[in-house]
Amino acid sequence: MKKLMATVLSGLLAAPFMASGCGGTTYAPVSGKVTYNDAPLAGAQVLFQPVGGQGGVAAGVGSFAKTDSEGRFKLEASTATPTAGAVPGRHQVRIALPPAKGTIGQQDSDAANAGGKPITQATNPVPAEYNEKSTLTFDVPPGGTQSADFSLKGPPLPKGK
Amino acid sequence: MRYRTLMPLRHRDAFTLIELLVVIAIIAVLIGLLVPAVQKVREAANRMQCANNLKQIGLACQSHHDSKGTFPPGGITEGYCCATQSKTNWAIEILPFIEMDSIYKRYDQNSFNEAAANQFVREQPIKTYNCPSDASAGGNVLTKPNSGPGSGLNYMPSSYRAVSGRANITAPLGWWDNGEGLALPATYKGAMHTVWAAQGLTPERMSNITDGTSNTLLVGEYQTKNTADRRTFWAYAYTSYASSSVHPASHTYLNDFARCEAISAQQGLDNRPCRRAFGSFHSGGSNWAVCDGSVRFIPETVDMNMLSNMATMSGGEVVNIN
């Protein structure tokens, strides 16, 4: 009986110290859909960057995803250990199509421009206001959301995109 | 009552097992409390020493500016990538200003970085260039970098990289550590970008930093817990081994090359943004040397757009990271 009490007691003593090491940022599950000129945008990069306060520091790191053939995506945080979701709060959202193979943006190997060959310039078919100069924002609610939907408009995409 | 009456009769010459267990439990709890505290103090001291290294590097760059009129070149690689051999870089050029002139004198400016003449310099450990918290894969032993004309040669690893500028999140991708940066707007250039005179890329002066020297990053940390051949090599002037760019997405501010690579792949990009990453083993962020000679600690949860803007000299952005 005494032994049991001692174990329980030491357990009680140790518990708060063991617990204090854990915890940290919480990431809420976020999923949604991207359309471009009302058609699903497949294979697009989706980046959520928490904006943070005045000092530019947010509660957590940014999140990313790639849309599937129906334009749907599910965010994952850019943490060292894979974690689903995004940190609650305001985010700047950037949506782009990754550059085509064989251009400077996407080489199969470094050989593509070996020997000082002129570089092939890749431009993004999705307008810059949705990516490099993004004006898109999204507020992630504390409980997460399944309707982070974005409908983008712009010039028609080149064929094969 | 019975216990008390018995006490004087029975002489106790040993602890009971329970007493022993309780004492051990208490000691364990105390050690459990103490060890993390000691480790935290040690890490804080390391972080401070690391900041001090960056302070010296920052001041050395200032001294370079005083005596030669410009900041040192980030690196001299007169080509786009891959097969182009390099000349000197920032970490070699500031050696005389961190009292390593004897090593600097051994660097042959007329030969390429990868030439046999420069083997001695390539293999030198420089204490100021190593962060004491750096626990990168492979340890501080001579390592062959992953790519470029020097990939078959040994280089000494280090912890700090010049800030060559910022990059895009997507097309056009390019970096100011080689000619690929020419695909980017000129306002993306950082204080220590690649130098290629024929393309008009020359070392920068203080007067070109129109964003203000206190708002422009000069040198950061890059260390990785895996992929030893993609860590930082101070004397390897070729593209991205002693120089990085801020790619405005959080996965390139991690001390984990493999994880960065995996995240890039999940976005449909290759690992080139990760080759220009920043990151350290300090908990929660990294130290940075700023162009005005100061050193700042910037958390990993920073708005990466703001960090990108701080990496450029002349974007005209308002930046206020605290």
Side-chain angles (χ1 to χ4, degrees):
Chain A
M1 193 59 204
K2 261 184 178 171
K3 196 183 252 176
L4 188 74
M5 266 171 69
T7 330
V8 170
L9 210 72
S10 57
L12 279 175
L13 273 172
F17 305 121
M18 280 153 75
S20 65
C22 313
T25 319
T26 45
Y27 291 88
V30 175
S31 56
K33 192 178 174 180
V34 180
T35 57
Y36 188 81
N37 292 340
D38 302 322
L41 188 65
Q45 261 177 291
V46 179
L47 289 163
F48 273 51
Q49 172 64 54
V51 173
Q54 233 199 336
V57 176
V61 297
S63 302
F64 66 92
K66 191 177 167 186
T67 57
D68 64 14
S69 56
E70 291 171 346
R72 299 196 174 278
F73 70 91
K74 206 170 167 184
L75 288 182
E76 184 179 330
S78 303
T79 43
T81 42
T83 314
V87 72
R90 173 148 293 197
H91 290 252
Q92 187 205 39
V93 179
R94 288 166 293 177
I95 299 168
L97 283 171
K101 296 255 185 236
T103 62
I104 179 181
Q106 188 64 279
Q107 297 160 322
D108 286 318
S109 75
D110 283 350
N113 58 23
K117 263 193 254 166
I119 46 178
T120 319
Q121 182 64 264
T123 47
N124 206 298
V126 176
E129 69 204 73
Y130 299 125
N131 40 71
E132 303 305 344
K133 296 188 173 81
S134 181
T135 51
L136 286 178
T137 56
F138 189 81
D139 289 311
V140 173
T145 177
Q146 291 184 314
S147 52
D149 298 340
F150 300 94
S151 56
L152 316 182
K153 305 275 179 219
L157 297 177
K159 283 218 169 90
K161 287 276 180 192
Chain B
M1 279 301 128
R2 194 173 153 239
Y3 187 69
R4 197 181 280 172
T5 50
L6 275 176
M7 267 311 270
L9 303 174
R10 252 174 63 178
H11 180 67
R12 293 177 65 193
D13 56 355
F15 294 113
T16 66
L17 183 63
I18 300 294
E19 282 167 336
L20 191 72
L21 284 175
V22 168
V23 168
I24 292 175
I26 290 172
I27 292 175
V29 168
L30 288 178
I31 291 178
L33 272 174
L34 218 73
V35 165
V38 168
Q39 276 168 349
K40 254 179 214 156
V41 170
R42 188 179 295 164
E43 166 53 25
N46 284 345
R47 205 175 95 181
M48 223 171 343
Q49 198 186 331
C50 182
N52 186 50
N53 286 347
L54 278 167
K55 181 94 189 163
Q56 289 197 46
I57 291 171
L59 292 177
C61 292
Q62 300 267 352
S63 306
H64 185 281
H65 196 287
D66 285 348
S67 69
K68 303 199 174 160
T70 63
F71 280 115
I76 301 182
T77 302
E78 300 196 322
Y80 295 102
C81 80
C82 315
T84 315
Q85 291 186 303
S86 303
K87 287 290 179 72
T88 186
N89 78 355
W90 67 277
I92 298 168
E93 288 307 300
I94 63 168
L95 284 173
F97 307 102
I98 55 164
E99 298 181 345
M100 293 287 168
D101 202 30
S102 53
I103 296 174
Y104 180 68
K105 283 194 178 117
R106 298 282 293 269
Y107 192 78
D108 182 359
Q109 300 280 0
N110 297 319
S111 302
F112 282 111
N113 182 279
E114 297 84 357
N118 287 324
Q119 184 186 357
F120 176 82
V121 175
R122 291 197 299 260
E123 298 181 352
Q124 290 308 300
I126 308 282
K127 208 167 169 244
T128 311
Y129 291 166
N130 284 89
C131 167
S133 309
D134 187 347
S136 290
N140 284 337
V141 294
L142 289 175
T143 306
K144 291 184 172 65
N146 181 284
S147 65
S151 57
L153 306 168
N154 277 326
Y155 281 85
M156 188 51 83
S158 63
S159 313
Y160 307 112
R161 290 189 177 188
V163 178
S164 67
R166 64 160 293 182
N168 277 329
I169 54 151
T170 183
L173 280 178
W175 295 270
W176 283 112
D177 55 49
N178 69 19
E180 288 175 343
L182 294 163
L184 300 173
T187 51
Y188 280 17
K189 268 190 280 190
M192 291 206 283
H193 55 75
T194 188
V195 161
W196 187 358
Q199 297 278 359
L201 293 169
T202 51
E204 295 298 337
R205 287 167 207 278
M206 209 84 91
S207 55
N208 298 344
I209 305 178
T210 52
D211 283 352
T213 50
S214 58
N215 292 324
T216 305
L217 300 168
L218 185 66
V219 178
E221 298 187 62
Y222 184 63
Q223 299 140 29
T224 169
K225 60 175 98 163
N226 47 51
T227 329
D229 58 3
R230 278 281 175 204
R231 53 193 293 202
T232 303
F233 301 101
W234 69 271
Y236 193 22
Y238 172 77
T239 67
S240 57
Y241 289 92
S243 151
S244 277
S245 289
V246 180
H247 178 86
S250 293
H251 66 284
T252 59
Y253 195 20
L254 264 182
N255 65 355
D256 190 334
F257 185 86
R259 171 78 175 138
C260 178
E261 196 173 28
I263 293 176
S264 262
Q266 285 181 63
Q267 293 172 28
L269 297 176
D270 64 13
N271 68 12
R272 285 175 308 144
C274 306
R275 300 181 201 176
R276 281 88 183 177
F278 287 101
S280 78
F281 284 84
H282 309 300
S283 66
S286 287
N287 288 311
W288 297 79
V290 185
C291 287
D292 64 357
S294 64
V295 175
R296 313 177 58 161
F297 186 79
I298 299 183
E300 63 200 1
T301 54
V302 68
D303 179 347
M304 291 300 286
N305 286 308
M306 227 178 243
L307 193 68
S308 308
N309 292 339
M310 268 195 95
T312 67
M313 299 182 293
S314 59
E317 316 89 352
V318 179
V319 187
N320 180 27
I321 298 176
N322 3 340

